[in-house]
């Protein structure tokens, strides 16, 4: 169900500009949210679907693992190094921090846990 988010995330290595890399993270996250909204579309009243941090982190973890972006930590470091102060306090900054959280979590998993 998150194939679009995975495809977008896989574009990360081809993007050279750090701000565009951040935009890629935003676009991937928006694809996750659209997939969740589509799933719940006919299952509950409109407007009742909200994807907050508690829901986003596990979904983003799934997308990152499935996307299997080579050297993703290097890309995140590049984004972190060049994000401007304004963006760091807005959506891009929040999603970058969320991605860093996901990578820290994945880094603590055993190989067998990632394969499941």
């Amino acid at each position: 169900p998150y194939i679009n988010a995975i495809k977008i995330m896989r574009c990360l290595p081809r993007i050279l500009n750090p701000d565009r890399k951040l935009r890629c993270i935003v676009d991937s996250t928006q694809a996750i949210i659209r997939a969740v909204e589509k799933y719940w579309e006919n299952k509950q009243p409109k407007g009742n679907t909200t994807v907050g941090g508690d829901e986003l982190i596990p979904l983003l973890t799934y997308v990152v693992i499935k996307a299997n972006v080579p050297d993703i930590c290097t890309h995140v470091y590049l984004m972190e190094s060049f994000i401007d102060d304004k963006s760091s306090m807005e959506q891009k900054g929040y999603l970058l921090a969320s991605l860093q959280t996901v990578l820290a979590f994945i880094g603590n998993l055993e190989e067998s846990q990632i394969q499941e």
Side-chain angles (χ1 to χ4, degrees), residues 1-11 24 27-32 34-35 38 63:
Y2 303 105
I3 191 67
N4 287 337
I6 294 166
K7 286 179 181 177
I8 293 167
M9 186 71 70
R10 286 181 178 157
C11 293
C24 177
D27 292 346
S28 182
T29 304
Q30 289 173 343
I32 291 170
R34 282 192 302 275
K38 183 174 181 174
V63 167

Side-chain angles (χ1 to χ4, degrees), residues 94-115:
Y94 174 77
L95 295 177
L96 179 58
S98 297
L99 181 57
Q100 290 168 320
T101 300
V102 164
L103 292 175
F105 174 75
I106 292 171
N108 288 320
L109 293 175
E110 299 291 326
E111 182 78 24
S112 61
Q113 292 173 302
I114 294 174
Q115 299 301 322

Side-chain angles (χ1 to χ4, degrees), residues 80-96:
E80 179 185 357
S81 297
F82 288 98
I83 191 170
D84 62 81
D85 290 339
K86 183 176 185 251
S87 293
S88 70
M89 301 303 291
E90 297 176 346
Q91 182 185 36
K92 288 179 183 177
Y94 174 77
L95 295 177
L96 179 58

Side-chain angles (χ1 to χ4, degrees), residues 63-76:
V63 167
V64 168
I65 289 171
K66 290 297 185 183
N68 196 24
V69 175
D71 302 316
I72 192 167
C73 292
T74 303
H75 297 286
V76 169

Side-chain angles (χ1 to χ4, degrees), residues 51-58 94:
V51 179
D54 290 342
E55 296 83 25
L56 179 62
I57 296 296
Y94 174 77

